[in-house]
Amino acid sequence: MSVIKKVSLCTLALLFVTMSAIPANNAEQVVFSDTGASMTLTGNANASTTPFGFWIWCAAQAASGSNGGYQNGNACQGSMYFYALQTRASGVVGFVTENPPNSGIYTMHVVEGTAAQFFSHTLHPTFTCTLANTTANPPKGPGNTVQVNCIFIELGGGTGSDTDTGAVVNITGPDN
């Protein structure tokens, strides 16, 4: 057999094996994002409203056979910004819950900071927020509703809330 035929056969065999392999055993993941929303502030010394946005990714359910780590901790990481209160986006970390179980309603609990700050116990956030999609098993993509509630420890203090009807919600994984 010529070298070209052997290489072609090997390539085809490898392609066939790759295509027929057992599917990936992925964790369930949840992403909420939006830009250009407007949050109403209460008791804030700096503003009564602020443009804000967020992009947060969470591991909502560990893959079967997971050895631990962020998947089992339902870990979240991302960023949020509040333009009337600060001039830059801030990193956030936290965790996600699904309540009731298997409902497709997820609540992200996040604080300003990084994973390194969290694990070294040096986290001193200036805000903390919860974000929750309001529709069970929402369609992927934009046009979803996410309720956002924040407490500002600094940045003028007070609280903020918004029912964001233009958010992207993307839930992926074994059940979605």
Side-chain angles (χ1 to χ4, degrees), residues 14-173:
L14 184 59
L15 182 61
F16 177 74
V17 168
T18 303
M19 289 174 47
S20 63
I22 298 171
N25 188 13
N26 297 326
E28 183 175 47
Q29 301 176 55
V30 178
V31 176
F32 291 171
S33 68
D34 198 16
T35 58
S38 181
M39 177 177 281
T40 301
L41 302 172
T42 303
N44 189 282
N46 299 331
S48 59
T49 62
T50 183
F52 82 106
F54 51 89
W55 182 93
I56 305 170
W57 167 87
C58 301
Q61 179 181 345
S64 60
S66 171
N67 292 326
Y70 71 92
Q71 287 186 22
N72 290 343
N74 299 84
C76 297
Q77 191 164 347
S79 65
M80 295 185 78
Y81 67 85
F82 307 95
Y83 278 151
L85 306 180
Q86 61 189 49
T87 59
R88 59 173 173 69
S90 294
V92 294
V93 293
F95 65 96
V96 67
T97 57
E98 183 180 15
N99 194 13
N102 303 313
S103 67
I105 302 287
Y106 294 90
T107 301
M108 297 177 176
H109 310 268
V110 298
V111 297
E112 178 191 31
T114 66
Q117 291 171 320
F118 177 81
F119 288 113
S120 67
H121 304 287
T122 60
L123 192 64
H124 299 288
T126 61
F127 65 86
T128 180
C129 299
T130 60
L131 301 89
N133 63 304
T134 62
T135 303
N137 301 309
K140 289 180 169 79
N144 288 287
T145 301
V146 172
Q147 179 63 44
V148 182
N149 296 300
C150 297
I151 297 171
F152 296 98
I153 301 152
E154 295 180 11
L155 303 175
T159 61
S161 65
D162 181 54
T163 302
D164 186 346
T165 58
V168 171
V169 173
N170 193 4
I171 303 168
T172 64

